[in-house]
Structure formats: structure tokens, C-alpha cells
Amino acid sequence: MIWHGSAVMRYGGSMRRFVICLAALALHAMLCFPDVRAFAQPSDQPAQPPAKAAPGQEEGSFNIHDERTDIDVSYPTFDNAAVTADIRQWAHHLVDAFRAGIEEEQPLPFKSTLKVGYTVSHPSDVALSITFDVYTYTGGAHGNLDLITLSYDLRDARRLSLENLFADPETALARMSAYAYARLSATLGDMHVEDMLRSGTTPDVDNYASIALIPGGIRIHFQPYQVAPWAAGPQHVDMPLEDLADAEPRAALWGR
């Protein structure tokens, strides 16, 4: 444990660069690891049913195991060739960014880890969202988890940003901010840290970079440490489309 603490000091550069790469990918994009999700606090939000595979949905992967790294990245593939190509390229860039960061540093006395899994949501026949759980470990007391979402309009294979989801994205941010703060205030319990929650739910686009479309609304993902301590785990809030009505959601994406 002491050595790992030293590793963070000596080898923190690669992790910092990789986290920056992840942030850039998340902003550009707008696994399930049970050991990470297990400590999430209970929520009174209605549970979503497991996502069903889309017609033609299969799985691709990048698996690299060498003397320095353990990499297992899974991603979905679909009949839509353009969407599949974009997802595959995204996953490839993620692996390249991780390996580049590791190669620039001195060898560690353990393997650096990148594990990526995903869930798929289908709000309608013309849209889908993928939520990637990106787990990395390059030393320290625990690994790091980032949740990154990619959403697509299947009619033209376009990757969707906040501006594509709402005619008035500024109003959408304001409504999401108020809704998320209220919901998390009610569910975090002993993990409620007011400064973290206020900062992590302000109507800043960076705070809402990981949004997935779900039937009837959106799922807002918050990273570990964004709105609560690490021990609280990653958080999410499901928000009905009706509560975003004055932001003018692009209703066709939800089959409306």
C-alpha cells in the first residue's frame, strides 16, 4: 500500500493524461464492474428494465495482455454499419490513449488495467444510447471509474449532443440541475456532502456530459467524486421527458 502511494507520486503523469483523454472523449461524445457498483447507495427512483438487444446487435472487443497491461474492452455492434464504425473507432482511440500513457512512463511493478463494459438503451426505434463503464488502474488505493455515453440517431447515424436532444439546451441544463440536485439530496443519505452535490449538479455542460436516452426520458450519470464521496459510488438520476418539456426535446428520438 505504501509503495502504491509512491507510485501515484512517481507515475501519476500517465493517469492524469489518460483522465484528460477520457474527459475529451466524453465531451466529444455526448462494464459493468459489480465491485464498483456494489457500494452505490439505494435509490427510490424506479428501476429500468434490462435493455434488450437491438435487432442485429452483437459484440466486438479489444483484448491485450502483455507484460505491462491488461486490457479488455467490449463494445456493441449493430446492423447500422456507420454507427458500428463510429463506436469501434471510439473504442480503438480509448485503447490507444491508455497504451500511449503507459508507454511514456517507467515500467511499474504491476500491470496497468483497462476494463470497459457497456449497457445499451433503446428509447425508440430511431435512437439508442450506450453507457460505457471505463475502469482503469495504474496504482493507488483504488482504481478509477468513468461513465461515458454515446447516443445515436439511427436515421442518419449521427452522434447526438445536448444540442441535438433539445431545441433549448440552456433550459435543459437548468431543469436537469434542479431535478438532479433535488433527487440526489433525497437519496444520498449519509453520503450527502453539500459542497460536492452543489458543485457537481450546477447547470454546466461538463456536469451533464454523460446522458443516456431511456424510454420516456433521460438518465443522467454522475462520475465518482462528482456529487458524492468515492464510497457512494457513481450516481444516476432518471428524469422524465415531461419535466424537460420547456426545453423542447426532439420528441421523435423518444418515438413521440
Side-chain angles (χ1 to χ4, degrees):
M1 185 67 68
I2 294 174
W3 201 98
H4 283 184
S6 300
V8 174
M9 297 294 293
R10 294 174 56 197
Y11 301 101
S14 61
M15 174 52 68
R16 284 194 296 273
R17 278 190 289 276
F18 183 58
V19 169
I20 290 170
C21 288
L22 283 179
L25 284 167
L27 289 174
H28 180 63
M30 315 260 173
L31 320 160
C32 294
F33 304 107
D35 56 324
V36 175
R37 290 176 178 265
F39 48 58
Q41 294 297 302
S43 170
D44 61 359
Q45 299 174 48
Q48 291 292 318
K52 297 180 180 179
Q57 180 181 327
E58 297 182 4
E59 184 171 279
S61 64
F62 293 105
N63 306 102
I64 302 170
H65 301 279
D66 55 31
E67 66 278 2
R68 298 192 65 178
T69 58
D70 280 325
I71 297 174
D72 292 289
V73 174
S74 298
Y75 58 89
T77 65
F78 303 94
D79 284 342
N80 189 311
V83 168
T84 293
D86 190 67
I87 295 168
R88 184 181 292 113
Q89 183 180 45
W90 178 89
H92 194 284
H93 286 170
L94 192 70
V95 171
D96 284 350
F98 183 77
R99 297 191 77 191
I102 298 302
E103 291 299 325
E104 289 177 4
E105 302 296 338
Q106 300 177 39
L108 296 169
F110 53 84
K111 289 188 176 185
S112 297
T113 299
L114 170 64
K115 304 285 185 183
V116 180
Y118 63 88
T119 56
V120 179
S121 174
H122 307 280
S124 70
D125 291 338
V126 302
L128 63 82
S129 288
I130 309 150
T131 301
F132 291 97
D133 299 335
V134 181
Y135 174 81
T136 57
Y137 182 74
T138 59
H142 56 71
N144 292 274
L145 177 66
D146 290 271
L147 293 96
I148 300 176
T149 57
L150 302 180
S151 295
Y152 294 91
D153 186 331
L154 299 177
R155 294 169 295 185
D156 57 8
R158 175 176 50 168
R159 196 188 291 186
L160 298 170
S161 66
L162 189 66
E163 289 75 15
N164 303 131
L165 301 180
F166 302 98
D168 187 348
E170 293 300 322
T171 296
L173 285 171
R175 298 294 176 266
M176 287 188 286
S177 173
Y179 191 92
Y181 176 83
R183 296 294 293 179
L184 292 171
S185 292
T187 59
L188 281 171
D190 292 343
M191 292 292 175
H192 186 145
V193 178
E194 182 64 15
D195 288 349
M196 295 184 74
L197 182 57
R198 283 288 183 189
S199 175
T201 58
T202 56
D204 185 305
V205 68
D206 289 352
N207 283 337
Y208 299 90
S210 294
I211 296 174
L213 281 63
I214 59 175
I218 60 172
R219 175 166 292 175
I220 308 166
H221 291 281
F222 296 99
Q223 313 297 335
Y225 291 123
Q226 182 179 346
V227 295
W230 170 263
Q235 301 293 315
H236 74 263
V237 171
D238 291 347
M239 186 172 183
L241 212 56
E242 289 73 18
D243 288 302
L244 290 156
D246 57 352
E248 300 179 59
R250 312 293 190 186
L253 295 171
W254 286 270
R256 299 184 178 184

